[in-house]
Amino acid sequence: MAAWPAVPLLAALALWGYAVRHTDVSALDDYGLVGALHPAFWAGLAVLTAGFWFTVRDPRRRSRWPLAHVLGLLVMERATQALLYPTPLYAWAWKHDAVVDHLLTSGGLQDADRLGDMAVYDQWPGFFAAQAALVRLLGVDNAAMYMAWWPLVSSVLLLLPLLLIYRTFTTDRRLIWTAVWLFCVANWVGQDYFSPQSVAFALHLGVLAVVLRRYSSRTSGSSGPSGSSGSSGSDGPKGLDGPDGRGGVRQGQAVWAVLLSLLVVAVVVSHQLTPGMLVVTLLALALTRRHRDWLPLVTTVVIFLAWCLTAALPFLSAAMPDMIRSVGDVGANVETGYGTTPTGAGAVAMSWAARLLSGSVLLLALAGVLRQRVLRRRALPLLLLAAAPLPMFVASSYGSEMIFRVLMFMLPGAAFFAAAALLPRVRASAAEAADAADAAARNAERPSGPSRRRFALPSFSPPSPPRLRYGAWLAPLVLLAGTLAFVPSYSGKDRINYFPPREVALVQRLFDQAPDGSLVVAANRNYPLAYEQYWRVDHYWFLDDDRRHVDEIVRDPAGVLARDMAAVDAPARAYFLLTQGQTANSEMNGQLNEAQLRHVRESVAGSPRFERVAENSAGVLYVLKPAS
């Protein structure tokens, strides 16, 4: 029956819908969403994975069914949180919403000469300007109205460039769609949230898709990006031998050069790290004979340097000493600093799940490289894509996040070879068939002896469905394990990332009454609206301070905090805020434990120098009384 793949897909979505309706997230523990999900969710993932595997392996099924299963996977992965949580996740998403709000209300970001914690957004405003325009277009109050759904949107945006890249190197749809599936389940690092990185990464892949399909030296004599025949991927040089052929080729090249430049500009003005990753990747591609066209690399470097030496120069000038010190210090660049060490059984287990997932995909990629010999030659650029980000460990720690960003940028290439490891011998691309035909023609021209064999072109017919034997079940079990491991890797820290409505209301009350020039003191920045009205209110997160000063606060919380907050002049006020999100972040990341935080709160509550402003189940707000 032609529509049988719809059965597991619909069954999986039905199980997912039931699970969402029967999952309670009001009291998350250290296992995050993993401990709260209804068992039907896990059953739905298993059914969906099984349906995808048998659909993609059936040569009679069209690509729309694997696509439908991948979209179902993204819905289950990325829409679950948006439906379960009444407020958006991630303190950083709320921070970016504050930047968009400032842009909407004041018409600009911070002045370039104010190089504080938010100045980086003044020098890379592309994402925020686009979001401000989107808010106006949609007619909503702010970006918070839709940013809970951004992980799903940004993940769907990655599908087109991924498919274009993979189709450049193979026509085997099993390999293409299995690679896309593995990419989706291994992309757990959380950069799909409402952030410049989410869009910059999609643009990064878009640039690579254009370069791999339109700037290959092999396209000059063939109609496809990999030397394949047919209309797919054709840029038109074949068949343009008439009087206007050369002009048509030049015109087509100019169009692609303009598109490439626009994509690069969008990357450069939106994010600091992605252009550097793009440069090293394009450099690696340009070192191969097949992609030796230097135009994409030179274009990217020129645009990147032009931006760094003009709009971004104020920030870079201030940050340059620290950046220079980190160059070459690989140990420090991959090390997580104080306050980011998972603590407790739940946090440690979730952290190890993420590590094992990434490690397994990288090991599978290595197995695919060794096992599929044809891909080592045909898909060498994808191997370079996976390896090119590694030198970035030498360049910077990127706020102790470089290891996560490197993993993310390695993933498109790694997922392709990992998928190859799960499949029997993959079908070669049409390019390999063309090469075999060329070899046959060359052999035909050579003199042959009486015993010369006739050259036979290899057959590339679709493989037969696999027989049900023990070894055939290993690959789908591995795929299922990776799919299930995504959930703890991606949602295992939701106790930190989720802020209940009461916490949002408490913080909103603070900013509704804080006069200009006020100071907000908190344990850390993990609370909603932490950067609300950052252009008129200052912040101090004492757990970011030197460890000795943190120890002083723990010994005498009220006394030391009152001293730190006393420099605020009237009519501005100094506020102390402690919320559920700060507590979860401190406990699970090894900063201060529950007893220490309770001691801080009780000390402030018992001090005559502080007055309680508001309190609910999600936190408490105090203000420092004026000195008598």
Side-chain angles (χ1 to χ4, degrees):
M1 188 172 63
W4 82 260
V7 175
L9 175 61
L10 294 177
L13 292 177
L15 288 168
W16 169 72
Y18 181 85
V20 169
R21 293 188 59 185
H22 294 82
T23 295
D24 181 16
V25 296
S26 60
L28 296 175
D29 58 18
D30 286 357
Y31 292 88
L33 191 58
V34 176
L37 279 170
H38 190 276
F41 180 88
W42 305 100
L45 269 184
V47 170
L48 183 70
T49 306
F52 168 80
W53 178 255
F54 290 106
T55 298
V56 81
R57 295 263 291 168
D58 190 341
R60 298 168 297 176
R61 304 300 173 190
R62 295 184 178 180
S63 292
R64 66 171 179 260
W65 288 116
L67 172 61
H69 282 77
V70 168
L71 291 175
L73 173 69
L74 290 179
V75 167
M76 294 181 70
E77 285 183 342
R78 264 79 181 186
T80 300
Q81 293 168 316
L83 291 171
L84 287 176
Y85 299 122
T87 59
L89 296 179
Y90 303 112
W92 292 98
W94 290 86
K95 174 182 179 179
H96 297 150
D97 176 53
V99 179
V100 176
D101 183 60
H102 184 29
L103 194 59
L104 288 167
T105 55
S106 66
L109 299 176
Q110 277 191 300
D111 296 331
D113 58 348
R114 295 188 61 185
L115 299 179
D117 194 35
M118 303 296 286
V120 65
Y121 301 120
D122 183 62
Q123 272 81 73
W124 283 273
F127 171 80
F128 305 104
Q131 292 301 323
L134 182 60
V135 168
R136 296 295 192 202
L137 180 65
L138 296 177
V140 296
D141 294 334
N142 49 52
M145 304 294 290
Y146 59 80
M147 68 184 186
W149 293 93
W150 195 257
L152 176 61
V153 173
S154 63
S155 297
V156 171
L157 287 177
L158 297 176
L159 293 182
L160 177 59
L162 269 181
L163 289 171
L164 290 174
I165 290 172
Y166 292 156
R167 283 171 60 87
T168 304
F169 302 101
T170 183
T171 56
D172 191 331
R173 72 182 189 90
R174 301 169 307 154
L175 178 56
I176 292 170
W177 286 108
T178 305
V180 171
W181 184 280
L182 281 175
F183 176 89
C184 292
V185 302
N187 188 20
W188 60 267
V189 296
Q191 294 306 310
D192 55 356
Y193 74 106
F194 186 73
S195 65
Q197 177 71 93
S198 64
V199 175
F201 186 48
L203 293 170
H204 169 87
L205 293 181
V207 171
L208 296 180
V210 171
V211 170
L212 291 171
R213 295 183 69 86
R214 297 297 174 179
Y215 286 90
S216 171
S217 61
R218 296 177 59 92
T219 61
S220 59
S222 60
S223 62
S226 297
S228 60
S229 59
S231 59
S232 176
S234 175
D235 58 2
K238 194 171 185 178
L240 293 176
D241 296 331
D244 298 328
R246 186 169 299 176
V249 171
R250 284 198 297 266
Q251 184 179 6
Q253 291 173 341
V255 170
W256 288 108
V258 170
L259 175 60
L260 177 71
S261 299
L262 291 175
L263 291 173
V264 172
V265 168
V267 172
V268 168
V269 304
S270 299
H271 199 243
Q272 315 93 287
L273 178 66
T274 305
M277 291 286 192
L278 184 57
V279 167
V280 297
T281 303
L282 293 178
L283 177 60
L285 291 177
L287 294 178
T288 64
R289 206 169 53 169
R290 186 173 173 184
H291 294 86
R292 194 154 287 169
D293 194 325
W294 293 91
L295 178 63
L297 176 61
V298 172
T299 301
T300 303
V301 170
V302 169
I303 296 174
F304 187 27
L305 289 179
W307 188 262
C308 290
L309 295 175
T310 53
L313 186 60
F315 177 83
L316 292 176
S317 298
M320 191 60 67
D322 290 336
M323 295 171 64
I324 293 175
R325 280 194 294 269
S326 66
V327 173
D329 192 357
V330 178
N333 290 346
V334 300
E335 181 183 5
T336 54
Y338 163 73
T340 56
T341 303
T343 302
V348 171
M350 301 301 99
S351 178
W352 273 105
R355 296 176 187 178
L356 291 174
L357 177 57
S358 291
S360 299
V361 170
L362 293 179
L363 288 175
L364 278 176
L366 178 60
V369 171
L370 298 175
R371 183 166 177 258
Q372 305 284 4
R373 185 172 57 182
V374 65
L375 294 181
R376 293 203 297 270
R377 181 167 54 91
R378 280 287 157 209
L380 176 61
L382 285 180
L383 195 57
L384 295 176
L385 256 60
L390 291 173
M392 297 301 289
F393 283 132
V394 180
S396 171
S397 68
Y398 201 68
S400 298
E401 290 189 3
M402 182 59 76
I403 187 170
F404 303 113
R405 305 302 173 95
V406 167
L407 284 172
M408 182 178 70
F409 281 93
M410 292 176 65
L411 190 55
F416 182 83
F417 287 99
L422 297 179
L423 296 170
R425 183 181 182 275
V426 298
R427 271 195 297 130
S429 66
E432 186 176 20
D435 284 352
D438 292 341
R442 288 194 299 270
N443 290 337
E445 295 173 359
R446 296 173 184 171
S448 58
S451 61
R452 181 178 178 270
R453 289 187 178 181
R454 182 181 176 185
F455 182 84
L457 193 67
S459 173
F460 299 105
S461 58
S464 302
R467 283 182 278 176
L468 296 180
R469 57 183 185 274
Y470 176 78
W473 290 98
L474 181 60
L477 288 176
V478 170
L479 193 69
L480 176 60
T483 304
L484 298 178
F486 171 85
V487 181
S489 304
Y490 185 77
S491 305
K493 290 188 176 182
D494 278 6
R495 184 190 164 209
I496 294 176
N497 298 322
Y498 168 55
F499 311 113
R502 282 179 167 269
E503 187 169 357
V504 177
L506 181 69
V507 181
Q508 187 64 63
R509 180 170 178 179
L510 160 63
F511 288 106
D512 286 344
Q513 71 176 49
D516 289 357
S518 294
L519 172 68
V520 178
V521 175
N524 52 54
R525 65 193 77 194
N526 192 63
Y527 54 93
L529 303 166
Y531 291 84
E532 184 78 359
Q533 303 179 29
Y534 63 88
W535 54 94
R536 69 175 192 88
V537 176
D538 293 325
H539 301 82
Y540 168 55
W541 299 288
F542 63 80
L543 288 182
D544 290 348
D545 212 337
D546 182 85
R547 180 69 202 196
R548 288 176 297 180
H549 189 65
V550 174
D551 291 338
E552 290 181 18
I553 293 176
V554 173
R555 285 194 296 268
D556 181 18
V560 177
L561 288 173
R563 184 189 67 201
D564 292 344
M565 300 163 66
V568 178
D569 297 326
R573 307 295 300 273
Y575 297 89
F576 174 73
L577 176 71
L578 188 62
T579 65
Q580 174 178 314
Q582 296 174 54
T583 302
N585 187 81
S586 178
E587 290 180 8
M588 291 184 65
N589 281 330
Q591 294 174 315
L592 297 181
N593 58 38
E594 181 182 3
Q596 291 170 317
L597 290 169
R598 184 170 58 250
H599 171 59
V600 171
R601 177 170 177 168
E602 291 173 351
S603 175
V604 171
S607 172
R609 300 197 60 183
F610 288 89
E611 177 184 353
R612 188 174 63 190
V613 176
E615 183 177 9
N616 60 33
S617 60
V620 64
L621 174 65
Y622 289 90
V623 65
L624 182 68
K625 296 178 181 178
S628 57

